[in-house]
Amino acid sequence: MDNSKRFLLIIGTAWMIDALDVALLSFIMPLLKTEWALNATQLGVVAAITSAGMMVGALLCGRLSDVFGRKKVLIGTLILFSLSNLALVFAPNVTWFIIIRFITGIGLGGELPVAATIIADRYTGKKRSQMLVLSDSFWAFGWILASLIAFFVIPHFGWRIAVMLTVIFASYALVLRKHLPPDPSVKNKPTTQPFQELLFPKNKRPFIMISIVWFIVMLTYYGIFLWLPSVLVLRGFPIVNSIGYTLIMSIAQLPGYYLAAHLLSKINPKKLLITYLLGTIASSLVFILSTSLPMVLLSGAFLSFFDLGAWGILIALTPSLFQTNIRGTAMGTAQSIGRFGATIGPFLVGWLLDMKTGIAFIFSLFVALLLIAVIIINFGISEQPSQ
């Protein structure tokens, strides 16, 4: 295995572990609703609290990585995630579940911006964009793995054993990360406060614009996909079938990532991101209107294809807008603002469902937000030379 592929495998586990956790929570949610007699709003809090922790983690760890180095912080986030998920196995009630999930979220939220910054430091230009999208493709493997655990483990052993399996996978990733090469960022500490430098004229506009896009993308993604198994159940599919259908939709993420990685060498990242977001919008509209099982599965698969591919392209675009010495802070802060959207999204869906608002209205709201993101990307973000 050459160095690039080995490096990709090590860093890609960051996305896989995060996706495994997020996806597994979506499968656990219907079971928690029954076990602890939760209403939709309470279930929305369970989903949202992880994103609240991720918001804190992204903001904190992005800054720490610029000061203490990417590798140390990346390993630290995984240790925090592993220990907190181990504690989750013994959660006696929903209150403790929520508290522990917040701590878990800090580890998860800090992991991805630091991992993306490591790649952005190591590569430049089209190679950087491709490596970031390929790393993000491991998110699909995390969802697939979670779907398999939900299908084969949860029905027989319960959700606590399923959570224990995530700790085992995280331990494997921790061993891999010890083989990461030393990063040069420690030698290039910022000469000014990175948060202040983000507000310098050359950085302020791209930072604000990309942060708003992250907010919208995360709000809509977590609002849709954390609730996807539950939405399928609401549409009349049994929980076991909904898990199987979600697995099919998760597999569709992979060609979305791989095509995006290929096209980044030929198409401007901004234009490609707009194309993928428009594909997400179209797929969402078809999903709303679908009444037959084949159309639900097909539109759901295209929704996964475009939405996750767009996420990968956004990860590739963001670090190219900022110089190396503030890149970790910029990536972490932009994603932290995005995590605020991720916190709102699941709670908003739960609250709207309790208000007897239909699924069609919820998806229409998300479509409107995605259209705003398209407008911002097209008119509000000017790409800077890759650094």
Side-chain angles (χ1 to χ4, degrees), residues 47-290:
I49 197 65
T50 305
S51 295
M54 293 174 87
M55 179 172 58
V56 174
L59 184 65
L60 178 65
C61 295
R63 173 71 177 99
L64 290 176
S65 75
D66 280 337
V67 177
F68 298 107
R70 323 295 194 202
K71 182 177 177 178
K72 290 179 180 178
V73 176
L74 189 65
I75 291 175
T77 60
L78 191 57
I79 292 173
L80 180 61
F81 164 79
S82 301
L83 293 177
S84 57
N85 252 12
L86 182 61
L88 193 67
V89 174
F90 304 99
N93 52 50
V94 68
T95 302
W96 274 106
F97 189 96
I98 289 172
I99 292 171
I100 296 169
R101 285 299 303 178
F102 178 79
I103 298 171
T104 303
I106 294 175
L108 289 173
E111 188 175 36
L112 288 190
V114 177
T117 305
I118 289 175
I119 294 174
D121 288 345
R122 189 180 179 93
Y123 299 97
T124 59
K126 294 177 180 178
K127 181 66 174 178
R128 171 197 286 166
S129 298
Q130 289 178 324
M131 287 293 288
L132 281 167
V133 174
L134 289 174
S135 295
D136 196 40
S137 72
F138 280 75
W139 186 273
F141 290 111
W143 264 89
I144 292 168
L145 188 56
S147 301
L148 293 173
I149 291 173
F151 194 81
F152 291 108
V153 176
I154 290 179
H156 304 289
F157 304 101
W159 65 265
R160 296 175 191 271
I161 297 299
V163 171
M164 179 64 76
L165 290 178
T166 67
V167 178
I168 296 173
F169 285 115
S171 299
Y172 169 71
L174 186 60
V175 171
L176 284 180
R177 286 180 198 180
K178 289 184 177 179
H179 298 285
L180 276 173
D183 55 75
S185 59
V186 178
K187 301 175 184 178
N188 300 310
K189 293 182 180 180
T191 55
T192 61
Q193 286 295 323
F195 290 116
Q196 294 177 4
E197 197 164 338
L198 280 177
L199 299 180
F200 285 3
K202 66 177 181 179
N203 296 319
K204 185 176 181 180
R205 180 182 174 86
F207 169 67
I208 292 174
M209 293 295 102
I210 204 70
S211 295
I212 294 173
V213 174
W214 271 112
F215 176 86
I216 293 173
V217 168
M218 286 201 184
L219 187 152
T220 54
Y221 170 78
Y222 280 91
I224 292 171
F225 283 92
L226 266 182
W227 278 93
L228 187 57
S230 300
V231 166
L232 291 172
V233 171
L234 289 172
R235 299 190 68 169
F237 301 110
I239 180 63
V240 174
N241 286 351
S242 75
I243 292 172
Y245 299 154
T246 305
L247 172 60
I248 294 172
M249 297 177 192
S250 300
I251 293 173
Q253 297 175 19
L254 284 170
Y257 283 121
Y258 295 147
L259 181 61
H262 173 71
L263 291 177
L264 276 171
S265 64
K266 305 175 182 296
I267 301 176
N268 178 282
K270 270 183 53 177
K271 293 180 180 177
L272 189 60
L273 179 56
I274 289 171
T275 301
Y276 266 71
L277 287 177
L278 291 175
T280 303
I281 290 169
S283 302
S284 298
L285 292 172
V286 176
F287 186 83
I288 295 169
L289 300 172
S290 297

Side-chain angles (χ1 to χ4, degrees), residues 342-376:
T343 304
I344 294 173
F347 178 80
L348 179 63
V349 172
W351 180 75
L352 289 174
L353 288 174
D354 271 347
M355 294 294 103
K356 308 303 179 184
T357 304
I359 298 296
F361 175 83
I362 294 171
F363 270 75
S364 298
L365 176 62
F366 289 163
V367 164
L369 289 171
L370 289 169
L371 283 172
I372 293 173
V374 168
I375 294 170
I376 290 173

